[in-house]
């Protein structure tokens, strides 16, 4: 797989280097997954040549240039903190003046770093989580202090630019008791072939309210194997939102664990693929504590020969009475060649629950299109309006309007290009 | 002056013939009303004229000022000057009315900056709350609100000929009054031509009809002045139906084929 020499070139205290080395050993032991495993079914994971990518071990001198405009300096000007990661290396933290109650630092430099790293993901799901642990050069922690209500969001910009690069980044967010904050992560890259393995850990402490938005706008030659794990403590609330637009094969596994009584998780996503992109989503809503709720809504549209995979599991554990959990995945196929798979699942060990799941894959609604056309709207514009309307249910729930406006603009232009061809 | 000419129109849905040669001509400023029992093909006629998916035109013509509408996509028919107010307006989640009208104006080469002012003026005239315009198109609207919304769009788009598919169904008295008044005004001020499809007479109390046509089994079997509507209201369609189907028959022929049409 990768040699421990790579780790020697990364900076870190002894405890971190030791954990990196043992993670690499476990990765080698576990080996890469195959499409025979249920959680990797329908994926092109067998095509991955891990050895053809090299970790970027030296920090770039400065941040890579803006690619998509989604999180340009102007757009994110109102943020509380802007964190820049270039090829996974921390290259800048900009704190807005007068903002209090938020602290961003390297896990390597945190007094409780050893405890923080893996707080929400104590055991890796697969070899890629281990590789991330071993090779992420700058794991960072964003702490929202207890009782703080943060006005401007914290923005983390992940930009990678090196060809054939393996980029690992890890962001840990700890929303302290009764705090309220928004954290936005934007993943961007260029046209270079690359592999990104990001991990996000979200720790929502008692009665905290965290909104997290992850935007994936990679180049079309990039593979992403992403994992996001969240734990929500008593009466806490998490909005875990994702937008996926880029990548050749881009995967995001999202695990949301309601571990404290009265915890609520809203998990939403909007994704659009065209060309021969494959977008892959695996979701787990795990209800450990009683009186917890979760609501999942994933909506996608696929044009040309794009593919999407959605598999989701709601798991209600034995002690979790009084749970409400919903899971909905809807996909629009905008072309004959587009392909979408949707597999919702339930695993319930307590009878006192309200659960539902729904999934749909189909072409654009003919009646909706006709209705708009009958008002004099040209066919291609009518289709674009219907698809934008379809996404609206998710987009209007996303935090940080300035960034979401950019996302909508990008989405509109992608839909316009599609209808011209 | 515009004229919509429907000539010998035959259409089927899923292989079943529904329209069997419909002839009707509507000119600017005229109000034509098509009445008929359930299943006579009234709604199909309106859908086929506008090009709704799910129907196959097997014969006949639909011409607007000599232009063949059947060769055009639905939006091009709208651009040419047709409008269809649907009986059950489709819900389009996440799409605002104003965005739709702006796109329609653009496609027609009209100044889309006017849309917002037109919407405001017409909503006041038709009795629609301003916040309603911010909602998703037809989503969570009552039957009556949907019909007001159709009338609002008709007024903003200013077509040459409007086809109203049961505009009066689901409308309370006030809404019926406001919608039909607005349309009646358009026939006078804008010389709008109307082809209205209805079950009931009550629409005609407000919308002054020039001609009434009786549609039976996909064919217009009689046309007349407004007095025909009054007759239909009191006597029903019995005299237009084949004897075997008239509802008020005595003893049925026990040897008749029950599936015969």
């Amino acid at each position: 797989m990768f040699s421990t020499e790579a780790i020697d070139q990364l900076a870190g205290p002894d405890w971190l280097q030791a954990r990196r080395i043992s993670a690499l050993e476990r990765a080698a032991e576990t080996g890469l997954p195959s499409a025979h495993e249920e959680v990797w079914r329908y994926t092109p994971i067998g095509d991955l040549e891990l050895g053809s990518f090299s970790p970027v071990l030296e920090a770039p001198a400065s941040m890579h240039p803006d690619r998509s405009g989604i999180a340009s300096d102007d757009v994110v000007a109102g943020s509380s903190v802007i964190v820049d990661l270039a090829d996974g290396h921390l290259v800048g933290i900009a704190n807005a003046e007068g903002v209090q109650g938020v602290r961003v630092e390297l896990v390597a430099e945190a007094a409780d770093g050893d405890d923080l790293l893996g707080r929400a993901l104590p055991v890796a799901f697969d070899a890629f989580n281990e590789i991330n642990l071993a090779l992420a050069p700058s794991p960072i922690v964003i702490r929202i202090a207890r009782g703080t209500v943060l006005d401007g969001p914290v923005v983390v910009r992940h930009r990678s630019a090196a060809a054939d690069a393996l980029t690992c980044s890890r962001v840990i967010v700890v929303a302290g008791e009764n705090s309220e904050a928004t954290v936005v992560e934007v993943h961007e890259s260029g046209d270079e072939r690359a592999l990104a393995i990001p991990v996000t850990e979200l720790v929502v402490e008692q009665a905290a309210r965290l909104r997290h938005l992850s935007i994936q706008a990679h180049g079309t030659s990039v593979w992403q194997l992403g994992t996001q794990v969240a734990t929500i403590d008593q009466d806490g609330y998490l909005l875990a939102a994702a937008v996926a637009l880029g990548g050749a094969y881009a995967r995001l596994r999202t695990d949301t664990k309601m571990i404290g009584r009265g915890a609520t998780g809203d998990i939403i996503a909007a994704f659009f693929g065209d060309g021969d992109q494959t977008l892959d989503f695996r979701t787990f809503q795990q209800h450990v504590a009683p009186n917890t709720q979760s609501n999942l809504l994933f909506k996608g549209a696929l044009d040309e020969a794009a593919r999407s995979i959605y598999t989701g599991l709601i798991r209600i554990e034995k002690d979790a009475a009084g749970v409400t959990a919903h899971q909905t995945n809807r996909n629009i196929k905008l072309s004959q060649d587009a392909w979408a798979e949707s597999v919702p699942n339930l695993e319930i060990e307590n009878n006192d629950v309200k659960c539902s799941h729904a999934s749909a894959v189909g072409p654009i609604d003919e009646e909706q299109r006709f209705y708009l056309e009958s008002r004099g709207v040209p066919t291609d514009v009518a289709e674009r309006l219907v698809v934008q309307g379809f996404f609206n249910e998710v987009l209007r729930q996303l935090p940080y309007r300035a960034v979401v406006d950019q996302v909508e603009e990008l989405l509109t232009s992608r839909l316009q290009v599609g209808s011209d061809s | 002056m515009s004229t919509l000419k429907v000539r010998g129109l035959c259409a089927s849905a899923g292989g079943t013939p529904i329209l069997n040669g419909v002839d009707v001509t509507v000119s600017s400023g005229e109000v034509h009303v098509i009445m008929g029992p359930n299943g006579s093909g009234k709604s199909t006629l309106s859908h086929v004229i506008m090009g709704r998916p799910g129907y196959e035109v097997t014969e006949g013509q639909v011409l607007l000022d000599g232009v063949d509408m059947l060769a055009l996509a639905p939006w091009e028919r709208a651009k040419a000057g047709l409008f269809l107010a649907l009986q059950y307006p489709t819900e389009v989640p996440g799409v605002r009315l104003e965005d739709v009208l702006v796109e329609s104006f653009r496609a027609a080469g009209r100044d889309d900056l006017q849309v917002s002012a037109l919407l405001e003026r017409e909503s006041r005239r038709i009795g629609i709350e301003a916040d309603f315009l911010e909602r998703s198109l037809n989503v969570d609207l009552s039957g009556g609100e949907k019909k007001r919304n159709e009338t609002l769009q008709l007024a903003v788009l200013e077509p040459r000929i409007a086809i109203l598919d049961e505009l009066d169904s689901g409308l309370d008295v006030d809404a019926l009054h406001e919608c039909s008044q607005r349309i009646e005004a358009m026939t006078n001020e804008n010389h709008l031509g109307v082809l209205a499809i209805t079950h009931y007479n009550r629409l005609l109390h407000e919308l002054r009809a020039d001609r009434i046509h009786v549609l039976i089994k996909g064919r217009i079997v009689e046309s007349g002045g407004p007095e025909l509507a009054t007759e239909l209201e009191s006597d029903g369609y019995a005299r237009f139906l084949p004897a075997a189907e008239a509802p008020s028959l005595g003893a049925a022929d026990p040897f008749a084929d029950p599936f015969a049409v």
Side-chain angles (χ1 to χ4, degrees), chain A residues 236-248:
Chain A
Y237 171 78
L238 172 69
L239 171 67
V243 172
L245 302 168

Side-chain angles (χ1 to χ4, degrees), chain A residues 65-352:
Chain A
D66 176 33
R67 298 274 191 177
S68 66
I70 291 175
S72 66
D73 293 347
D74 288 346
V75 171
V76 299
S79 309
S80 292
V81 186
I82 300 171
V83 182
D84 284 337
L85 295 170
D87 301 323
H89 293 266
L90 180 68
V91 293
I93 299 176
N95 290 282
E97 241 172 86
V99 173
Q100 291 190 333
V102 55
R103 189 153 55 99
V104 182
E105 63 183 327
L106 286 167
V107 170
E109 291 171 2
D112 55 350
D114 194 9
D115 178 45
L116 277 173
L117 193 59
R119 266 281 291 278
L121 182 61
V123 179
F125 298 133
D126 51 45
F128 302 116
N129 292 162
E130 301 287 16
I131 290 170
N132 173 284
L133 184 57
L135 297 175
S138 312
I140 58 162
V141 56
I142 300 166
R143 283 185 242 246
I144 316 297
R146 182 179 168 174
T148 298
V149 176
L150 206 57
D151 283 338
V154 176
V155 175
V156 182
R157 303 191 288 195
H158 302 255
R159 290 185 188 155
S160 50
D164 299 322
L166 163 66
T167 302
C168 295
S169 59
R170 184 172 297 229
V171 173
I172 301 162
V173 181
V174 182
E177 189 178 336
N178 197 30
S179 66
E180 182 164 342
T182 299
V183 175
V184 178
E185 291 187 70
V186 182
H187 301 262
E188 290 176 293
S189 53
D191 301 327
E192 302 82 9
R193 176 182 172 274
L195 173 63
I197 306 184
V199 171
T200 299
E201 300 184 57
L202 305 174
V203 179
V204 180
E205 295 188 339
Q206 201 170 318
R209 299 165 301 281
L210 177 65
R211 291 176 298 268
H212 179 266
L213 167 61
S214 153
I215 298 168
Q216 184 272 100
H218 278 301
T220 50
S221 304
V222 170
W223 272 41
Q224 175 186 276
L225 304 167
T227 301
Q228 177 177 308
V229 188
T231 58
I232 313 172
D233 213 329
Q234 192 175 334
D235 299 325
Y237 171 78
L238 172 69
L239 171 67
V243 172
L245 302 168
Y249 165 58
R251 172 189 176 92
L252 180 62
R253 172 177 173 153
T254 308
D255 286 54
T256 310
K257 299 178 190 175
M258 276 54 69
I259 57 169
R261 189 167 196 148
T264 300
D266 285 337
I267 307 124
I268 58 176
F271 54 95
F272 176 79
D274 56 17
D276 54 3
Q277 285 184 280
T278 299
L279 300 173
D280 176 14
F281 302 92
R282 312 286 167 156
T283 68
F284 295 82
Q285 293 154 267
Q286 193 181 352
H287 291 263
V288 181
N291 306 112
T292 50
Q293 299 180 43
S294 70
N295 260 303
L296 180 142
L297 176 65
F298 273 46
K299 292 184 113 175
L302 302 153
D303 204 353
E304 298 168 351
R307 299 154 46 93
S308 77
I309 303 144
Y310 171 83
T311 69
L313 177 69
I314 295 177
R315 186 177 155 73
I316 317 272
E317 306 215 335
K318 218 166 66 204
D319 298 331
V323 163
T324 308
H326 303 291
Q327 182 192 50
T328 304
N329 169 232
R330 296 190 194 284
N331 306 283
I332 296 184
K333 291 191 340 175
L334 296 169
S335 87
Q336 288 283 334
D337 296 332
W339 180 93
E341 181 68 41
S342 179
V343 188
N345 258 307
L346 298 171
E347 223 177 82
I348 302 175
E349 290 187 16
N350 189 301
N351 291 325
D352 177 22

Side-chain angles (χ1 to χ4, degrees), chain B residues 152-172:
Chain B
L152 172 71
Q153 294 176 49
L154 167 58
V156 171
L157 290 171
E158 294 185 282
R160 296 164 196 270
I161 306 285
I163 301 143
L164 314 175
D165 188 9
E166 310 228 6
L167 183 78
D168 48 341
S169 70
L171 271 186
D172 59 46

Side-chain angles (χ1 to χ4, degrees), chain B residues 229-246:
Chain B
T230 318
E231 183 207 320
L232 290 171
E233 179 138 277
S234 59
D235 302 348
Y237 295 97
R239 85 171 165 94
F240 302 105
L241 294 169
E245 283 184 41

Side-chain angles (χ1 to χ4, degrees), chain A residues 365-379 381 384-386 388-390 392-393, chain B residues 50-53 74-75 78 83-84 86 90-91 93-95 100 103-104 107 137-138 150 153 157:
Chain A
D365 188 294
E366 210 176 40
E367 290 296 319
Q368 293 180 8
R369 179 177 56 202
F370 170 73
Y371 185 77
L372 299 188
E373 276 204 61
S374 75
R375 316 289 121 161
V377 177
T379 315
V381 180
R384 175 169 57 77
L385 288 175
V386 169
Q388 284 175 314
F390 168 80
N392 184 267
E393 188 184 359
Chain B
M50 203 67 205
R52 189 174 194 156
W75 75 271
F83 180 87
L84 169 64
L86 283 170
T90 311
E91 296 186 5
V95 177
V100 173
E103 294 293 354
S104 175
L137 208 45
N138 294 319
E150 293 290 279
Q153 294 176 49
L157 290 171

